Amino acid sequence: MNDTFAPATGIGSLPGHDAREAAKTATGSFEDFPFLPELPARGPGADMIGRTAGMLVELYARVEPSGWRLGDRPGRDTKRARAWLGEDLDALEEFTQGYEGPLKVQAVGPWTLAAALELRGGEAVLSDPGACRDLAASLAEGLRLHLAEIRRRVPGARPVLQLDEPSLTAVLRGQIRTASGYRTHRAVDRQVVEATLREVAGAHDGGPVVVHSCAPDVPFALLRRAGVAGVSFDFSLLTERDDDAIGEAVEGGTRLFAGVVPGTDTGLSDPAGSVMGVRTLWRRLGLRPELLAEAVTVTPACGLAGASPEYARRALAHCVRAAQSLADNPE
């Protein structure tokens, strides 16, 4: 098996406020592919955008009524985001003593960040190509430092960087609304999107990068060209229109992080039932069944921040059992 990845892992967010409890869940559920948990319920700075804004180098953001806005210097919101990330890293370090293997860390990708962060005037960074370039460069430098910190704290880990890009398709299609809400920002050229993703992924210095989106119409072909090692997506949103792009991705060696376990409380089917759709897709694409375990990592459909703590633990354990079912019975 490709030892860059493992058969199952989480997406990133978990419910609750307790960093140690979250780290214990993330490392205990996935003994061979743990992840650094995010706990957005703690409030601004623990949310996806604020957490990544706190990683930026020489760019600072603060909370306004409309969302996160770039400012001139680090204020209390930046400090709070960095403090919570530090707390999460402390907890992860405690529960990964002696660990060797892949370890996933998540941050918001450059395009979702540009769509969500505001410039000083209140419009999205996305509205200004120069500001987008500066943001991507700052993010890349921040991620370099973050990954170095992970390696220092967990020396046996092989970090896997996940870039969360739920707004990527909307950016490509010109569907991100302006501050007034009456218009949308112009679609960003696909080559610019691809080059920026490649630049930010380069922060990992040759290490594996996965792009995650639980929105419909994930641009598989563009992500492959940008050089990512894996694509993480909500399996229930796939349509047959995606078949060719997925088949090419698998044959090109791209890992599929198939989100097959619902992200909010629900009854869970048997593990084999959860991955039935993956087997069906494989047959439709005419791919070899024995490729399944080498090409697929099973995950929840999206983050688990909206789930109950008890369901979140069951969902993660279910991912492991579903992945085992795929390995045992690929056909």
Side-chain angles (χ1 to χ4, degrees):
M1 190 183 72
N2 178 350
D3 66 356
T4 304
F5 303 114
T9 191
I11 292 297
S13 66
L14 291 176
H17 299 76
D18 186 332
R20 288 187 75 255
E21 188 60 37
K24 186 177 171 186
T25 298
T27 55
S29 301
F30 303 109
E31 291 176 6
D32 50 7
F33 200 177
F35 63 98
L36 174 63
E38 302 165 6
L39 298 173
R42 293 180 297 194
D47 62 298
M48 176 169 111
I49 300 299
R51 184 179 181 87
T52 302
M55 294 181 194
L56 297 174
V57 172
E58 293 180 7
L59 285 178
Y60 310 104
R62 63 178 187 273
V63 180
E64 297 286 340
S66 54
W68 284 88
R69 182 173 297 182
L70 293 176
D72 297 320
R73 56 187 165 275
R76 65 178 182 203
D77 297 324
T78 298
K79 288 172 185 163
R80 189 192 303 123
R82 290 176 178 172
W84 268 327
L85 179 58
E87 193 178 296
D88 295 340
L89 288 168
D90 289 344
L92 182 75
E93 185 178 357
E94 179 184 345
F95 287 99
T96 50
Q97 294 293 313
Y99 174 73
E100 294 183 5
L103 170 64
K104 187 163 69 64
V105 297
Q106 306 81 220
V108 177
W111 293 108
T112 296
L113 201 59
L117 275 182
E118 298 172 359
L119 295 165
R120 289 172 183 80
E123 204 51 84
V125 170
L126 190 64
S127 65
D128 180 335
C132 286
R133 286 192 294 274
D134 291 346
L135 180 64
S138 172
L139 175 61
E141 187 53 36
L143 289 172
R144 269 188 207 96
L145 297 171
H146 182 50
L147 290 161
E149 178 72 358
I150 291 287
R151 291 188 192 97
R152 185 183 71 75
R153 286 172 176 264
V154 193
R158 297 191 301 276
V160 174
L161 173 61
Q162 175 181 303
L163 296 174
D164 292 322
E165 282 283 14
S167 301
L168 183 59
T169 301
V171 166
L172 287 164
R173 292 181 175 174
Q175 294 170 336
I176 301 291
R177 296 215 160 270
T178 57
S180 69
Y182 295 121
R183 293 183 305 107
T184 55
H185 293 289
R186 191 177 310 165
V188 181
D189 181 89
R190 295 181 84 83
Q191 287 179 309
V192 173
V193 169
E194 183 186 321
T196 303
L197 283 167
R198 191 180 296 110
E199 176 198 346
V200 173
H204 197 3
D205 227 7
V209 176
V210 175
V211 170
H212 166 70
S213 172
C214 41
D217 299 321
V218 175
F220 287 93
L222 182 149
L223 294 172
R224 268 184 62 229
R225 289 196 303 273
V228 305
V231 181
S232 169
F233 54 95
D234 179 343
F235 193 85
S236 71
L237 298 178
L238 288 186
T239 68
E240 292 197 18
R241 284 199 317 271
D242 298 306
D243 279 8
D244 288 348
I246 288 177
E248 285 168 16
V250 172
E251 286 171 349
T254 305
R255 185 86 174 193
L256 302 182
F257 284 64
V260 297
V261 178
T264 49
D265 291 41
T266 187
L268 293 171
S269 70
D270 67 296
S274 294
V275 286
M276 193 188 303
V278 179
R279 291 191 184 95
T280 303
L281 170 68
W282 231 245
R283 284 196 293 272
R284 204 165 68 224
L285 295 176
L287 293 167
R288 291 181 295 116
E290 57 270 26
L291 255 183
L292 259 175
E294 291 173 29
V296 175
T297 292
V298 175
T299 72
C302 214
L304 293 166
S308 68
E310 197 268 333
Y311 175 80
R313 284 190 292 273
R314 279 197 299 122
L316 297 181
H318 193 84
C319 289
V320 174
R321 288 197 295 272
Q324 190 61 51
S325 164
L326 265 190
D328 292 344
N329 304 296
E331 297 192 58

